[in-house]
């Protein structure tokens, strides 16, 4: 079906601002607080300063050469006006994403050349038509208070609208954002929450409300503010979106470290709700709230518990496993492993999630595997270092992966007692990147840069190699440059001036 976009219905249903093309002139200046849609054009002035350079000259203080002996150039500030085109209607209307901010590229596309004068847009000489596909029967009309979620569809007239993804879906059930193709540009807030999907004919039975949360459809405990330890990964809460009619939604706290935001931001907080919460669905009534999840109930009980956690041990490393109260915990990978060594982050404690992950319940004792607890033995490897005149084997400690280290081919790191070897060129460049740091998993991105190197073990240097040169067979005969201490045999020709302290013999008679 073809819709003539000059008609009031379709003109407002499908944004025409994207069809406007810069004509060389400057569009109206950006205004904070105004509503913009995709394709909207604005202009703003941007100042830039050329770099300052210093050129040596001589003689200092003579002619054009300053007394400092350097000529300063640059530092000139110019201001020009540029046109910007909106590429995200959600961000364009927020002042934090204005064309002059550091986040402007997320909302606006800047023209390469400056503009001057005033832009004019010639009216279309012929009607513009857009082809909309049929979606079948018409869904129910939009109704205030209905808990619309991403993908929910409503109809207005013969047009079908679909609720956008988060965070725009939070506006879909608000009257201000009700789909209304008669709204003029600047007042068509509905475009931030809904998009046109096609046309419809007849009626259809659709589900506009999201699926209710598990637990018989009842609502868990209402969200309340707290610190980073208020909610744990997987914990669910309910929030009230509207009171008349009553509409409540269920949200689930994300995995660590995002769980730290769950107590700081309500799921409905436009600025921070998305950081810690995932939407589960609608709910009604009440349910008995579940406690903080500790492990997957389906997890098999581990046969044998690793070493008991001790707050006095300060050598825990990434991958080390401990047990506490019949629950197994594993030390997180770098950079969080540093907290495993601090008793304030003991497993199961208020800050446990920052240092440890829950593996599951255990029972009995077990024979230690490669690294069930902190590795305390020697973990070293031999690396041949290029020296003169011959390469030298050197023993290095195998440490955990560290950011900023320029790893080379053959370098080793470890997780617990499991070691990894950096691959040869060109792969060793990736060994230096955190995205490729070794993991305890058998597959993953890390395998592009590293390969397993076995378990930690003590190594010793090989015996001293054969001497580099042979000794000379004949002793040297060159005399020494300093005379020997042998006394001379001839008497001196001049008597000494210092008299003796006692007469040597009686005087002659």
């Amino acid at each position: 079906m073809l819709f003539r976009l000059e008609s009031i219905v379709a003109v407002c249903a499908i944004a025409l601002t994207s069809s406007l093309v810069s004509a060389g002139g400057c569009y109206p200046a950006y205004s904070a607080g105004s509503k913009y849609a995709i394709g909207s054009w604005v202009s703003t002035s941007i100042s830039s300063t050329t770099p300052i350079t210093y050129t040596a000259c001589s003689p200092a203080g003579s002619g054009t050469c300053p007394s400092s002996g350097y000529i300063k150039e640059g530092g000139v500030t110019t201001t020009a006006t540029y046109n910007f085109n909106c590429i995200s209607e959600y961000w364009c209307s927020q002042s934090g994403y204005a064309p002059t901010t550091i986040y402007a590229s997320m909302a606006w596309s800047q023209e390469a050349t400056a503009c001057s004068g005033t832009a004019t847009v010639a009216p279309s000489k012929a009607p513009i038509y857009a082809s909309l596909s049929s979606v079948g029967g018409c869904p129910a009309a939009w109704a205030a208070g209905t808990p619309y979620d991403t993908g929910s569809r409503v109809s207005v007239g013969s047009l079908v609208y679909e609720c956008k993804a988060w965070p725009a879906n939070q506006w879909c059930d608000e009257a201000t954002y009700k789909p209304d193709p008669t709204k003029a540009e600047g007042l068509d807030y509905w475009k931030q929450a809904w998009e046109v999907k096609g046309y419809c004919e007849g009626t259809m039975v659709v589900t506009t409300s999201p699926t209710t949360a598990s637990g018989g459809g009842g609502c868990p405990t209402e969200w309340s503010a707290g610190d980073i330890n208020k909610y744990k990964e997987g914990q669910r809460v309910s929030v009230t979106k509207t009171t008349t009619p009553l509409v409540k939604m269920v949200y689930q706290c994300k995995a660590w470290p995002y769980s730290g935001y769950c107590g700081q931001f309500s799921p409905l907080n436009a600025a921070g709700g998305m950081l810690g919460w995932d939407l589960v669905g609608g709910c009604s009534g009440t349910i008995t709230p579940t406690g903080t999840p500790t492990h997957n109930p389906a997890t098999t009980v581990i046969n044998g518990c690793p070493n008991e956690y001790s707050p006095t041990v300060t050598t825990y490393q990434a991958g080390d496993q401990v047990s506490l109260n019949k629950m197994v915990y594993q030390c997180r990978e770098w950079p969080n492993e540093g907290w495993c060594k601090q008793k304030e982050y003991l497993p199961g404690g208020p800050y446990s999630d920052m240092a440890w992950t829950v593996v599951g319940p255990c029972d009995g004792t077990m024979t230690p595997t490669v690294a069930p607890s902190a590795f305390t033995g020697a973990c070293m490897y031999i690396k041949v270092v290029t020296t003169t005149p011959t390469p030298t084997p050197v023993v290095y400690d195998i440490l955990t992966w560290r950011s900023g280290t320029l790893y080379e081919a053959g370098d080793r790191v470890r997780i617990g007692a499991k070691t990894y070897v950096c691959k040869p060129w060109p792969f060793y460049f990736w060994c230096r990147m955190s995205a490729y740091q070794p993991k305890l998993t058998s597959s993953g991105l890390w395998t592009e840069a590293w390969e397993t190197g076995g378990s930690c073990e003590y190594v010793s240097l090989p015996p001293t190699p054969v001497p580099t040169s042979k000794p000379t067979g004949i002793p040297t005969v060159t005399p020494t440059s300093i005379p020997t201490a042998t006394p001379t045999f001839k008497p001196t020709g001049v008597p000494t001036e210092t008299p003796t302290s006692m007469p040597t013999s009686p005087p002659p008679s």
Side-chain angles (χ1 to χ4, degrees):
M1 177 180 291
L2 293 179
F3 286 84
R4 182 171 178 172
L5 297 189
E6 289 184 337
S7 67
I8 189 171
V9 172
V11 162
C12 296
I14 302 176
L16 290 180
T17 50
S18 59
S19 66
L20 302 179
V21 179
S22 175
C26 299
Y27 285 93
Y30 169 84
S31 176
S34 297
K35 297 294 181 179
Y36 296 103
I38 292 178
S40 296
W41 284 93
V42 298
S43 66
T44 192
S45 296
I46 298 178
S47 297
S48 60
T49 303
T50 58
I52 298 176
T53 59
Y54 293 89
T55 304
C57 63
S58 63
S62 177
T64 59
C65 185
S67 58
S68 63
Y70 291 91
I71 298 175
K72 177 182 177 182
E73 297 178 320
V76 178
T77 300
T78 57
T79 301
T81 302
Y82 292 86
N83 285 324
F84 290 81
N85 185 246
C86 177
I87 58 175
S88 172
E89 54 190 65
Y90 178 73
W91 303 120
C92 288
S93 301
Q94 301 193 32
S95 59
Y97 297 82
T100 54
T101 65
I102 59 175
Y103 303 109
S105 60
M106 299 177 63
W108 301 92
S109 175
Q110 179 183 348
E111 285 194 329
T113 57
C115 64
S116 60
T118 303
T120 58
V121 180
S124 301
K125 295 182 179 180
I128 300 175
Y129 291 86
S131 179
L132 296 177
S133 58
S134 173
V135 296
C138 295
W142 184 91
T146 302
Y148 296 113
D149 194 11
T150 301
S152 296
R153 292 187 174 187
V154 297
S155 62
V156 176
S158 57
L159 291 179
V160 177
Y161 300 82
E162 184 173 280
C163 181
K164 292 183 177 181
W166 195 97
N169 63 343
Q170 298 185 75
W171 297 325
C172 291
D173 55 1
E174 297 185 16
T176 304
Y177 297 86
K178 173 186 176 182
D180 187 351
T182 63
K183 292 289 186 181
E185 183 176 351
L187 298 176
D188 49 358
Y189 304 129
W190 65 268
K191 292 181 181 178
Q192 299 183 39
W194 299 89
E195 61 182 346
V196 179
K197 301 303 294 184
Y199 70 94
C200 62
E201 295 177 312
T203 59
M204 62 177 292
V205 178
V206 296
T207 302
T208 55
S209 299
T211 304
T212 58
S214 58
C219 298
T221 305
E222 282 269 352
W223 178 88
S224 61
D227 60 14
I228 61 174
N229 301 303
K230 173 74 173 182
Y231 296 102
K232 302 295 185 182
E233 174 183 343
Q235 201 162 357
R236 292 184 175 185
V237 298
S238 62
V239 290
T240 301
K241 296 200 70 175
T242 63
T243 55
T244 307
L246 180 62
V247 176
K248 303 187 73 171
M249 306 297 289
V250 178
Y251 288 83
Q252 180 168 298
C253 186
K254 292 183 178 180
W256 188 93
Y258 305 103
S259 57
Y261 295 112
C262 293
Q264 300 181 53
F265 298 102
S266 162
L268 299 181
N269 186 294
M274 63 176 292
L275 298 175
W277 298 98
D278 286 323
L279 176 65
V280 176
C283 67
S284 61
T286 58
I287 61 173
T288 303
T290 58
T292 301
T294 54
H295 66 278
N296 187 339
T299 301
T300 302
V301 175
I302 299 172
N303 184 19
C305 298
N307 292 343
E308 187 83 3
Y309 168 81
S310 173
T312 61
V313 175
T314 59
T315 55
Y316 290 120
Q317 299 287 342
D320 291 345
Q321 290 188 354
V322 298
S323 63
L324 189 64
N325 300 324
K326 298 298 183 179
M327 185 64 66
V328 179
Y329 299 85
Q330 181 168 295
C331 181
R332 291 184 181 271
E333 297 176 354
W334 186 92
N336 307 89
E337 64 177 346
W339 290 325
C340 297
K341 308 171 185 179
Q342 302 181 38
K343 61 183 180 181
E344 290 80 9
Y345 299 86
L346 81 161
Y351 303 102
S352 175
D353 288 348
M354 300 177 67
W356 304 89
T357 55
V358 178
V359 177
C362 66
D363 185 43
T365 59
M366 61 182 290
T367 302
T369 54
V370 174
S373 58
F375 181 77
T376 57
C379 195
M380 297 173 283
Y381 74 106
I382 296 175
K383 181 178 180 181
V384 177
V385 180
T386 303
T387 56
T388 303
T390 56
T392 303
V394 179
V395 173
Y396 287 94
D397 289 327
I398 301 179
L399 305 175
T400 55
W401 187 92
R402 288 291 183 270
S403 176
T405 303
L406 300 179
Y407 293 108
E408 302 286 349
D411 286 349
R412 297 196 177 207
V413 298
R414 67 184 178 89
I415 299 178
K418 187 175 182 179
T419 67
Y420 301 82
V421 183
C422 182
K423 291 185 177 181
W425 186 93
F427 305 103
Y428 71 79
F429 289 107
W430 292 335
C431 294
R432 308 170 182 180
M433 303 171 65
S434 60
Y436 293 85
Q437 64 174 296
K439 307 288 185 182
L440 291 172
T441 56
S442 59
S443 61
L445 199 59
W446 70 268
T447 58
E448 301 292 334
W450 301 86
E451 56 188 1
T452 55
S455 300
C456 286
E457 59 182 9
Y458 177 78
V459 297
S460 59
L461 278 172
T464 304
V466 178
T468 56
S469 60
K470 296 181 179 180
T472 57
I474 303 174
T476 59
V477 294
T478 304
T480 59
S481 58
I482 303 174
T484 60
T486 305
T488 58
F489 294 99
K490 293 183 180 181
T492 59
V494 181
T496 59
E497 298 178 355
T498 305
T500 59
S501 60
M502 297 291 290
T504 57
S505 62
S509 55

